[in-house]
Structure formats: structure tokens, C-alpha cells
Amino acid sequence: LSDDGWFRTGDLGFLDGDGYLHIVGRANTMLVTEGGKNVAPETVEEAYLAAPEIREIAVLQKDRRLVALIVPEPRHAGEGEAMRQAIDRAVRERSSTLPSYQRISGYAITGEAIPRTRIGKPQRHLLADRYERAKQSPSAADAVAAEPIDVAQMSAEDQDLLRDPAARKVWQWLAERYGHRRLTPDSRPELDL
């Protein structure tokens, strides 16, 4: 407990005019830009997720600049060069709504789902490696986007799900039936396939 009676959880927040507490992020995920500004990655991610072309995004820091790992939404972004142009346009449009210190200065497109914790938060300690891999092979997004995700590339939670024989059978059937399409455990058959 702090001297003024607060329990130190590591959460960041503020009290509004009505006395309600709003949680905005965690102290241990705060990024400090090259200009010295503190940025909560969740705030930046939320702003870019407003673009329908972006299915998932995770913000990280590279050389004290904000960069992002982006998973495109194929229904809105398309494939190949059209996808890259759609993502670039979406990033520019969303960036124009943010203060300069919250804008991403670069991004990498990936077909792999963002690794997440059990409560759905990005596993930030894994992002730098994923970002570098996506940057080194820009065509990987196209290749992955056209086929089901490999089980070894799935999150631990999704791999646990596939240990159930019924879930494994369904996954195998879907992978055979839609082998030419982007398929992940969170694919929605009625919309994505």
C-alpha cells in the first residue's frame, strides 16, 4: 500500500470528474519515445484497430521509435500488393488522427496471429522476434495468408485446444477443405471462408 492508501498493482489510470477510475494501461508496458514521451501501446493499438483493414496490431519499440506488427483483415485488405497498399493507406489515415509521438514510424505485415496471453493481451516479450522475422521476409505475409496456419505457429492456448481429439478433427477437416485460404483458429467460417 502507498502512503495515501492505494494498492500498487502496476496499472496506470486516472480519476475522472465524477470520481470514476479509468485503467489505461500497465506501467511495465509503457514505451518511452526518442522525444521522451511516455506512450501506452494499448492506446496506439486501439487507434489503429479502428481501420477495418487491420485485424490485429501489436506496437513495440525499435531504436526508440514506435513500430508495429500488423495482421491484415483479408476481407477488407485483399491480398498481395493490393493488401500492402490497403494497409499502408490505413496506417497513414489512422496516423493522421494521432499526436505525432503516438504514430508508428514503421510496420511489418505478418500472416501469423499476434501471440497473446490467456486474457488476450499481446505477449510483448515475443514481439521483437516476430517483427524482425516479418521484416526479413516481406513475402511471408502473402504465403501465410493463402494457407492454413501451421499448428507449431499457433499460440499455446490454441495448441492446447487442438489436443482435444474432436477439435483436432475439425481443424484437420477445415485445413483440408480450405487449404487454399488463410485459416487460423479464430477464423470465422461464415465470414472468412
Side-chain angles (χ1 to χ4, degrees):
L1 278 177
S2 66
D3 292 339
D4 56 357
W6 289 94
F7 182 66
R8 297 191 182 276
T9 63
D11 292 305
L12 299 173
F14 66 93
L15 293 172
D16 67 14
D18 295 325
Y20 289 100
L21 176 64
H22 297 266
I23 305 295
V24 295
R26 304 251 328 138
N28 64 351
T29 63
M30 190 64 62
L31 303 174
V32 181
T33 66
E34 63 184 349
K37 295 281 193 178
N38 291 329
V39 176
E42 297 88 356
T43 303
V44 177
E45 291 162 353
E46 186 177 305
Y48 284 98
L49 276 174
E53 298 86 356
I54 298 175
R55 175 183 281 184
E56 292 185 86
I57 186 170
V59 173
L60 62 148
Q61 202 165 21
K62 178 94 171 135
D63 301 324
R64 297 189 57 87
R65 294 175 185 247
L66 299 182
V67 296
L69 190 59
I70 295 176
V71 178
E73 177 57 67
R75 290 180 297 135
H76 297 288
E79 296 180 8
E81 186 56 32
M83 174 198 56
R84 290 187 200 318
Q85 290 175 0
I87 294 296
D88 192 51
R89 187 173 47 255
V91 167
R92 280 195 318 270
E93 287 172 3
R94 296 310 307 154
S95 291
S96 70
T97 67
L98 294 169
S100 60
Y101 66 90
Q102 288 185 338
R103 296 175 186 162
I104 59 174
S105 62
Y107 62 88
I109 298 173
T110 181
E112 295 179 53
I114 302 293
R116 298 194 178 274
T117 65
R118 291 187 178 191
I119 60 171
K121 303 287 185 186
Q123 291 182 327
R124 299 208 181 271
H125 67 282
L126 300 176
L127 296 178
D129 181 54
R130 289 276 181 103
Y131 178 80
E132 287 304 318
R133 280 190 301 169
K135 280 304 251 187
Q136 289 173 4
S137 62
S139 63
D142 297 336
V144 175
E147 63 185 26
I149 188 172
D150 183 32
V151 175
Q153 295 175 336
M154 291 181 190
S155 69
E157 186 177 73
D158 289 339
Q159 289 180 11
D160 286 345
L161 175 69
L162 292 183
R163 287 193 179 91
D164 178 279
R168 176 63 87 151
K169 269 186 145 172
V170 169
W171 175 257
Q172 289 170 337
W173 182 84
L174 286 169
E176 288 172 18
R177 173 77 170 84
Y178 297 102
H180 62 289
R181 302 290 301 271
R182 173 72 175 141
L183 181 65
T184 64
D186 65 346
S187 294
R188 296 157 295 191
E190 72 277 7
L191 297 174
D192 297 339
L193 304 176

